[in-house]
Amino acid sequence: MPGTPPGGVRGRMTRGVLSRLERASLIAYGGWLLFVFAVAGVTCISLRQVERAETSAVLARAERGAAALEQTMLRAFEALYALRDLAQTRARLTALSDAAGRSAVERQMQALAASHRFGIQEVLIAGRDGVLDWSSSQSSAWADLGRPARQRRVKAAGARRAITPNPPPIVAIDRAGPGLTVTKPMLTPQGRWIIHVTLPAGDGASALMVALDATGLSHVIAQEVPPAPGEVNAVQLLDSGAFLARSIHPEAAFGEEVASPGQQRALGLAEADPVISAAALGPAGALRDHTASIDRMIGYRIPRGLPVVVSQTISSRLALADYYSLRRTVLLAATTVCAGGLFATRLLLLNFLLRRRLAQQAMQDPLTGLPNRRYFTDVLPRVLHEAQHGGATAAVLLIDLDGFKYVNDTRGHATGDSMLREVAVRLRTCAGEADHVMRLGGDEFALVRVGRQQRRDATALARYIVSELSSIYEIDGYQVRAGASVGIAFPPEGGDTLPDLLRSADIALYAVKSDGGGGYQMFDTGMEETVRSRRALEMDLREALLRQELEVYYQPLVQLDPRRVCGFEALVRWHHPVHGMVMPGRFIPMAEETGLIAGIGQWVLRQACMEATRWPADTRIAVNISPVQFDRSDIVDVVAAALRESRLDPGRLELEITEGVVILDTGDALATMRRLQGLGVRLALDDFGTGYSSLSYLRSFPFDKVKIDGSFLADLGGDGGAIVRSVLSLCAHMQLDTLVEGVETEAQLFWLRHEGCTEAQGHLFSEPQPADALAGIIEDVASAGTSKTKVVTLFRKA
């Protein structure tokens, strides 16, 4: 970044702060940080190990439960195999026509069915033709196993009963096959869930069908393997995953569970989302399932030779409740310990950041971001000392803004701050990589160039800075103008140390400001006495009002046709007790620079209004209003107060305003001028033709008079005359009064009268005089209107 030393000011500040940070703080910071990481790591690893151990224990428990369920289902199907053996015996006895033996077998089968063991409700045997051959109950829930649309009547155990027409076949005889078939539970008209199991009857042409009560089977597995809280014991079909039986703690009816899809989904056991997907399972095992709506652990078994899978499902939330409670406690304790460590670490970090911030604030200007005066006094001497060993020197350029106080007072501090930030940006642009740019305070900046350099390099840089800082500033929608003055100090005349060079640069800067500013000056030893004298004069000016050393002088404003004094311009003079009469050109710029002009201008306005009340009623008083006065928020109140105290007719007061007031701020200036006109006073545009004069002012602002600068009178036969003639013509067209300043000869006066000028002012009529001489001036000017010789004689005496 231009304007900063190599490595950057911020980097040097940071290194300085780090070097001063206590070693104990760094050790404590690192120790606490490592402790926090260690506690967090050990806690996470330990909890993970405990969770794995608890999960393994729960899975082992679920697997043991599944093994117990497997034994229960094997015993249940052993009863079915016993019925199959009886059915096969019946078939053989039937083939042997042993009616007595067959009846005995059938009674055994009836007795087994009547016992409802393992939920057995009904036993049926279908013949070769699919007609129901025998049933253990008087009213079978089954009917024709395959014959379509034909009502049959069959006889079982010596009785005939009605067969339900076209019952839905469960397994047709020709599809029964050699193996065992189990169907999904079916809801009977009586509201019972029935499972149909089909086995071959022995000769390959008949089938044994057993109806199992699903609720009864659920009670069996609940009694054989009682579920604990959070456990679900289930029997499912291997191929489809449909539930055959299920027991839940606390005990609930199987039919309610199966009949309610909402309850099934709430338990995560819906048919569409079975507990076990048998396709990916081995014969036995345990797993943790996160796919359902609840986290669960499952142990399962597939009994050999059976188309079912049994499982015990345990809710992870309930099974690991003790672990979760332990985890909360451990995490709370670890968090408390870590929070303490982090709090201590944070205190150390805040301490470090605070120190760093304080170091930056101590070395850096918060408004512009530039290094400040402390950096100049603490850091730069070391930089210069190191550079001097290599034969380098330092040149100090002290920069002060011209007119900044005016901007700050009239636009406000916010605009002034924005302007200072913009100045900092422009100075960085002007500076080189090895230059140090600083803000020393207020609107005072410094640039220190360290290295092997020539005087012409420093003066060229100063000229560049003045040019850049004098350009118009665009701030908050306003155009603001300021200038710059630069004082340069170069060794050995300016000194060899930075404090000496800064002091010498300040003297050179003061010399530039004394000459009006807007330039640069190299320090030489003869400046010290001049600067000392000017500073003493500045101190005396601050006391001039209190000591009553100021006096108002008056210069007549002469109406040309007819020639008479129509008013006077109030001009301030300073009677210094040592230096005698001090002219305005010497102390007015000093007053504007120091801000004293507001008090002086207010005093002059009040004195002039009081004096004008002693003059003839048709004689006006003209008072200059400086830009600083005009832009003060109370200027209208100040004028109103002066009129009120003096009781002067407002129409007799003429306020002269320079173009500098309106050149950059048409909005605020126009509003103030209209408020002043509202008081009844007249407004005159002073010194028209100098600086950035524009005819547009005459159209944009409500002026009553235009005062043309007298510098044009020296060239009335050339461009000066053409300019004056044009302005006079334009003002006549706009019905504006005109006054030409600096009239010194009758020839100039004759030319102005011929061109239509309204009024004139100059030494031809009178130099500024104290108030007690005005009566004579009025009489002399009136008399001189008829005698040229008399006028010349009168004003020579004055």
Side-chain angles (χ1 to χ4, degrees):
M1 181 182 68
T4 59
V9 175
R10 185 171 298 177
R12 294 186 179 185
M13 293 178 182
T14 302
R15 289 193 296 272
V17 172
L18 285 174
S19 65
R20 291 190 294 268
L21 191 62
E22 294 86 347
R23 182 179 179 83
S25 299
L26 290 175
I27 294 175
Y29 177 81
W32 273 110
L33 198 59
L34 290 176
F35 176 75
V36 168
F37 285 138
V39 170
V42 170
T43 301
C44 292
I45 293 173
S46 300
L47 288 175
R48 184 61 177 165
Q49 290 175 346
V50 173
E51 183 184 16
R52 287 176 179 174
E54 290 292 316
T55 301
S56 299
V58 175
L59 289 175
R61 191 179 86 191
E63 192 170 6
R64 289 194 299 270
L69 287 173
E70 179 186 26
Q71 295 302 316
T72 301
M73 291 309 300
L74 288 175
R75 289 194 296 272
F77 277 89
E78 283 178 0
L80 297 181
Y81 290 142
L83 286 172
R84 180 195 62 184
D85 293 342
L86 290 173
Q88 291 175 351
T89 303
R90 178 182 178 279
R92 289 194 298 270
L93 293 173
T94 300
L96 296 173
S97 301
D98 185 354
R102 185 179 70 175
S103 296
V105 172
E106 289 176 351
R107 284 193 299 273
Q108 293 180 21
M109 297 175 66
Q110 280 182 325
L112 187 59
S115 68
H116 299 298
R117 187 181 179 189
F118 297 108
I120 297 175
Q121 296 295 311
E122 185 179 7
V123 179
L124 303 94
I125 299 176
R128 182 183 301 275
D129 56 357
V131 178
L132 185 63
D133 184 32
W134 179 83
S135 173
S136 64
S137 66
Q138 294 299 318
S139 58
S140 174
W142 287 358
D144 190 342
L145 297 179
R147 302 263 181 182
R150 208 169 66 218
Q151 186 174 13
R152 294 178 179 272
R153 298 183 67 83
V154 298
K155 184 175 182 180
R160 298 182 62 87
R161 60 185 182 277
I163 303 300
T164 303
N166 300 326
I170 300 172
V171 177
I173 296 301
D174 57 352
R175 292 185 292 107
L180 180 145
T181 303
V182 182
T183 67
K184 296 180 181 179
M186 299 178 61
L187 188 63
T188 68
Q190 292 78 20
R192 300 178 64 188
W193 288 95
I194 300 299
I195 304 168
H196 298 141
V197 182
T198 304
L199 301 93
D203 57 0
S206 61
L208 172 69
M209 289 159 284
V210 181
L212 299 179
D213 182 2
T215 302
L217 185 58
S218 296
H219 286 314
V220 170
I221 65 174
Q223 292 173 357
E224 295 287 337
V225 186
E231 293 182 357
V232 177
N233 297 332
V235 180
Q236 299 171 248
L237 287 176
L238 187 60
D239 55 352
S240 65
F243 291 100
L244 301 180
R246 188 170 52 169
S247 65
I248 305 172
H249 184 283
E251 185 175 317
F254 179 83
E256 293 175 355
E257 294 296 328
V258 175
S260 173
Q263 290 177 334
Q264 294 181 30
R265 286 191 294 270
L267 293 171
L269 303 175
E271 289 185 16
D273 184 22
V275 176
I276 297 295
S277 178
L281 298 179
L287 55 90
R288 188 169 185 175
D289 180 27
H290 298 277
T291 59
S293 59
I294 59 174
D295 183 10
R296 55 190 180 176
M297 287 182 255
I298 305 170
Y300 69 91
R301 288 292 183 95
I302 301 176
R304 177 178 295 181
L306 300 183
V308 297
V309 57
V310 296
S311 62
Q312 183 174 87
T313 301
I314 302 175
S315 168
S316 299
R317 181 180 62 83
L318 294 177
L320 301 178
D322 292 340
Y323 162 74
Y324 291 141
S325 177
L326 174 65
R327 185 177 67 178
R328 284 193 297 271
T329 303
V330 171
L331 289 178
L332 179 60
T335 302
T336 302
V337 174
C338 292
L342 290 176
F343 180 73
T345 303
R346 183 172 180 270
L347 288 179
L348 291 174
L349 181 59
L350 289 177
N351 179 51
F352 167 74
L353 293 178
L354 179 61
R355 290 174 178 233
R356 179 177 178 179
R357 187 177 299 112
L358 290 176
Q360 289 178 344
Q361 291 176 353
M363 294 289 184
Q364 191 175 35
D365 175 46
L367 177 63
T368 62
L370 294 175
N372 59 11
R373 183 178 291 273
R374 182 171 179 179
Y375 177 83
F376 182 90
T377 58
D378 292 355
V379 178
L380 273 186
R382 294 196 299 268
V383 175
L384 178 60
H385 180 71
E386 294 172 0
Q388 285 175 339
H389 287 292
T393 57
V396 175
L397 284 75
L398 190 60
I399 304 134
D400 190 78
L401 300 181
D402 299 333
F404 174 75
K405 181 173 178 58
Y406 166 74
V407 173
N408 211 35
D409 291 343
T410 58
R411 303 291 184 211
H413 292 288
T415 301
D417 290 346
S418 299
M419 183 175 180
L420 290 176
R421 284 191 287 267
E422 177 63 24
V423 169
V425 172
R426 296 188 184 186
L427 283 177
R428 287 192 185 102
T429 304
C430 296
E433 289 292 336
D435 295 339
H436 302 255
V437 179
M438 290 146 288
R439 182 190 176 207
L440 301 184
D443 61 338
E444 192 174 56
F445 296 81
L447 187 151
V448 178
R449 171 164 288 183
V450 179
R452 300 177 181 274
Q453 55 212 321
Q454 302 294 328
R455 294 175 182 270
R456 61 175 178 272
D457 297 330
T459 54
L461 177 59
R463 184 165 52 249
Y464 182 34
I465 290 174
V466 171
S467 174
E468 287 296 308
L469 299 189
S470 299
S471 301
I472 292 178
Y473 297 81
E474 295 282 347
I475 299 174
D476 300 331
Y478 294 105
Q479 286 186 323
V480 180
R481 181 181 296 278
S485 300
V486 181
I488 311 169
F490 202 90
E493 293 86 352
D496 295 323
T497 65
L498 278 177
D500 290 342
L501 289 170
L502 181 63
R503 175 179 172 278
S504 299
D506 188 32
I507 293 174
L509 175 64
Y510 206 83
V512 176
K513 302 288 279 188
S514 300
D515 292 338
Y520 60 91
Q521 182 68 50
M522 182 76 73
F523 171 80
D524 65 62
T525 54
M527 291 180 177
E528 293 193 57
E529 183 60 34
T530 303
V531 170
R532 187 179 298 108
S533 175
R534 188 177 187 276
R535 286 181 174 172
L537 188 65
E538 180 181 320
M539 296 301 296
D540 291 341
L541 179 61
R542 296 181 181 275
E543 304 294 331
L545 272 176
L546 297 178
R547 295 173 181 172
Q548 300 182 350
E549 296 172 0
L550 299 181
E551 184 181 359
V552 180
Y553 274 45
Y554 301 90
Q555 187 173 31
L557 311 177
V558 179
Q559 179 180 302
L560 300 187
D561 192 14
R563 182 185 295 190
R564 71 178 186 87
V565 175
C566 61
F568 289 91
E569 179 180 3
L571 301 170
V572 65
R573 295 292 185 268
W574 181 13
H575 295 282
H576 193 277
V578 177
H579 302 289
M581 181 68 72
V582 182
M583 301 305 291
R586 186 177 178 190
F587 71 87
I588 289 298
M590 184 186 303
E592 290 180 339
E593 180 183 341
T594 57
L596 297 174
I597 190 63
I600 294 175
Q602 184 174 349
W603 178 83
V604 170
L605 175 65
R606 186 169 58 251
Q607 292 296 113
C609 289
M610 295 294 293
E611 180 64 31
T613 58
R614 302 186 181 94
W615 303 341
D618 59 348
T619 306
R620 298 190 303 273
I621 179 64
V623 181
N624 287 283
I625 301 296
S626 74
V628 175
Q629 282 181 277
F630 186 86
D631 283 335
R632 287 173 61 96
S633 58
D634 62 345
I635 181 60
V636 179
D637 297 333
V638 168
V639 174
L643 292 172
R644 185 170 55 252
E645 292 175 11
S646 63
R647 298 184 180 182
L648 179 69
D649 180 6
R652 295 179 60 192
L653 176 60
E654 190 173 272
L655 300 179
E656 297 184 358
I657 302 170
T658 62
E659 59 180 330
V661 169
V662 299
I663 184 173
L664 295 176
D665 182 14
T666 57
D668 291 347
L670 182 60
T672 302
M673 293 172 69
R674 286 176 175 169
R675 291 179 62 197
L676 289 171
Q677 281 194 327
L679 298 177
V681 303
R682 289 167 52 87
L683 300 178
L685 178 59
D686 194 15
D687 294 333
F688 188 81
T690 62
Y692 297 87
S693 295
S694 172
L695 297 178
S696 64
Y697 300 154
L698 306 182
R699 179 174 56 85
S700 302
F701 295 92
F703 289 109
D704 300 293
K705 179 192 286 188
V706 175
K707 295 186 69 174
I708 303 172
D709 189 79
S711 60
F712 298 108
L713 297 180
D715 188 25
L716 290 179
D719 293 338
I723 293 173
V724 174
R725 186 181 294 111
S726 299
V727 175
L728 292 174
S729 175
L730 178 62
C731 291
H733 177 74
M734 299 180 67
Q735 297 182 346
L736 296 175
D737 293 338
T738 53
L739 182 147
V740 177
E741 301 174 291
V743 178
E744 296 182 354
T745 65
E746 284 290 341
Q748 293 172 343
L749 185 63
F750 177 80
W751 187 92
L752 292 173
R753 182 186 293 114
H754 180 265
E755 296 297 334
C757 181
T758 308
E759 301 173 11
Q761 179 183 1
H763 291 176
L764 175 63
F765 309 110
S766 174
E767 294 181 353
Q769 298 291 333
D772 55 8
L774 300 187
I777 294 176
I778 294 174
E779 181 180 351
D780 291 345
V781 171
S783 302
T786 56
S787 174
K788 172 182 175 181
T789 303
K790 186 175 180 180
V791 169
V792 173
T793 303
L794 284 173
F795 283 102
R796 280 179 179 171
K797 291 194 298 179

